[in-house]
Amino acid sequence: MTITPLMPVYPRCGVRPVRGEGVYLYGEDGTQYLDFAAGIAVNALGHGHPALTKAIADQAATLMHVSNLYGSPQGEALAQRLVDLTFADTVFFTNSGAEAVECAIKTARRYHHANGNPERHTLITFKNAFHGRTLGAISATDQAKMRDGFEPLLPGFAYAQFNDLEGALALIDANTAGFLVEPIQGEGGLATATPEFLQGLRKACDEHGLLLVLDEVQAGYGRTGKFFAHEHYGIVPDVMAVAKGIGGGFPLGACLATEEAAKGMVIGTHGSTYGGNPLAMAAGQAVLDVIQGEGFLDHVTTMGDRLRASLEQMIPNHDHLFQEVRGKGLMLGLKLKTDSRRFVAFLRDEHQLLTVSAGDNVVRVLPPLVIDESHVAEFTQKLSDAARVYVPASDD
Ligand code: PMP
């Protein structure tokens, strides 16, 4: 491969969007795409949402950036809203999901350090998880394709099978700090935690003095029809990483923690030049206004149910290709009987429909949360048109 000005870590793709409006993206040549990928669960409000773009423009004209050294009324205001709405007592703002995960890992380590147990540094994480591409995050991610050639990785992680409670508990030893887990594995193909599994991890944390760290970077912020996915399980974490939907497209993430779990995160222990700057906070406030607006989460649930029902109805007509529907709310996956990367490319190039593949054979369906019934109908039509004519490769 020859080098390109943009480091060539992503495959080249024919879609080169230059404009977005609502649930649609427009390519350089004007081609319209129905965007059921939403920047991988980022554009929760779709493209060009007037309240979000206005909030960013107004803030940019007022004060774009100032160092966290000078205090942050904008950060305090958004953090207070998140604290009021969640289990958390305190928030650290970041620029991405991986940084939110890094902050969560550091918070867990510092908690045990502050308790006089620095040997309790190991987080138990799960197969097929995805936590980001920084060194700490890939160390937490037990996937060779993301780790090869980056060794030595960060020590202090142990790996269990997702949804195998007994296997996870068997790994607890004198060095265990807690668990780091996605309630629904996004990149891992929409594997959804069972209630027994997440509730069992919570119970084990309480019994052994461990921390439950949730990665809700993809599943959080309204995507599953609850503000956070763990609300489906009747449990709360001690620490949680959030990103993607929180900024609606503005690069923003957050690490939320209880007062107890954050006891080690004192002055000087962590920081970020940009994290929580006024522009990011303006975006965060505008997104939260919409997500917390009356009926919004119910709308996500209703649209999720419709979309799921449409997908399930389609399976018998295309059972050579489709296998099952997974996920919750508008975080859905369609498991194929064949390679999903090729099918996702076919949907994109031949039917102007944007989705994302996960694992080897799951098509992720992650539309903006503001879709309406007409978008569900359009998606369903395009998908079934595509499935009718699609010919899987013989080696898929
Ligand atoms: N955690 C999860 C669950 C994710 O899905 C992702 C991104 N797909 C990340 C962490 C990393 O987020 P970012 O790419 O913003 O660093």
Side-chain angles (χ1 to χ4, degrees), residues 10 39-42 94-101 129-134 137 141 181-188 215-219 241-244 252-253 331 364:
Y10 282 101
I40 317 189
V42 168
T94 69
N95 311 289
S96 68
E99 285 171 275
V101 168
F130 183 79
H131 298 296
R133 297 294 197 140
T134 52
T141 302
V181 59
E182 293 160 272
I184 304 178
Q185 290 188 332
E187 308 297 313
D215 181 344
E216 292 227 21
V217 165
Q218 193 161 149
V242 181
K244 294 190 183 269
L252 174 61
M331 185 175 181
R364 267 184 293 174

Side-chain angles (χ1 to χ4, degrees), residues 9-226:
V9 295
Y10 282 101
R12 287 173 182 236
C13 162
V15 181
R16 297 162 65 84
V18 289
R19 188 168 69 82
E21 206 179 303
V23 184
Y24 297 93
L25 282 175
Y26 298 86
E28 281 172 315
D29 61 357
T31 307
Q32 185 192 60
Y33 296 89
L34 180 65
D35 184 12
F36 269 41
I40 317 189
V42 168
N43 303 102
L45 311 187
H47 302 283
H49 189 282
L52 177 56
T53 50
K54 181 173 188 313
I56 293 170
D58 288 354
Q59 186 63 49
T62 308
L63 178 65
M64 197 180 307
H65 177 79
V66 65
S67 168
N68 283 314
L69 291 174
Y70 303 124
S72 171
Q74 303 86 359
E76 281 167 14
L78 186 58
Q80 185 64 55
R81 283 183 82 183
L82 292 172
V83 162
D84 290 344
L85 288 164
T86 67
F87 72 94
D89 302 308
T90 189
V91 181
F92 182 87
F93 289 111
T94 69
N95 311 289
S96 68
E99 285 171 275
V101 168
E102 294 288 341
C103 181
I105 295 168
K106 289 179 75 174
T107 301
R109 287 191 174 186
R110 278 292 294 200
Y111 168 72
H112 293 293
H113 180 271
N115 280 343
N117 302 312
E119 75 288 355
R120 296 174 78 165
H121 44 54
T122 293
L123 283 168
I124 297 170
T125 71
F126 296 90
K127 303 268 179 191
N128 284 326
F130 183 79
H131 298 296
R133 297 294 197 140
T134 52
L135 270 173
I138 60 170
S139 305
T141 302
D142 187 30
Q143 295 201 47
K145 63 179 186 225
M146 287 163 201
R147 307 168 64 139
D148 276 358
F150 294 116
E151 298 88 355
L153 298 180
L154 188 67
F157 296 95
Y159 313 97
Q161 292 292 340
F162 189 65
N163 272 336
D164 173 9
L165 181 61
E166 263 179 44
L169 300 190
L171 290 179
I172 297 175
D173 64 19
N175 299 127
T176 306
F179 300 99
L180 168 61
V181 59
E182 293 160 272
I184 304 178
Q185 290 188 332
E187 308 297 313
L190 280 296
T192 304
T194 62
E196 301 71 42
F197 178 61
L198 268 199
Q199 289 160 4
L201 294 181
R202 175 70 270 171
K203 191 158 165 269
C205 286
D206 296 341
E207 284 170 9
H208 297 274
L210 308 176
L211 295 181
L212 181 62
V213 182
L214 291 185
D215 181 344
E216 292 227 21
V217 165
Q218 193 161 149
Y221 241 74
R223 177 125 311 258
T224 68
K226 302 261 189 211

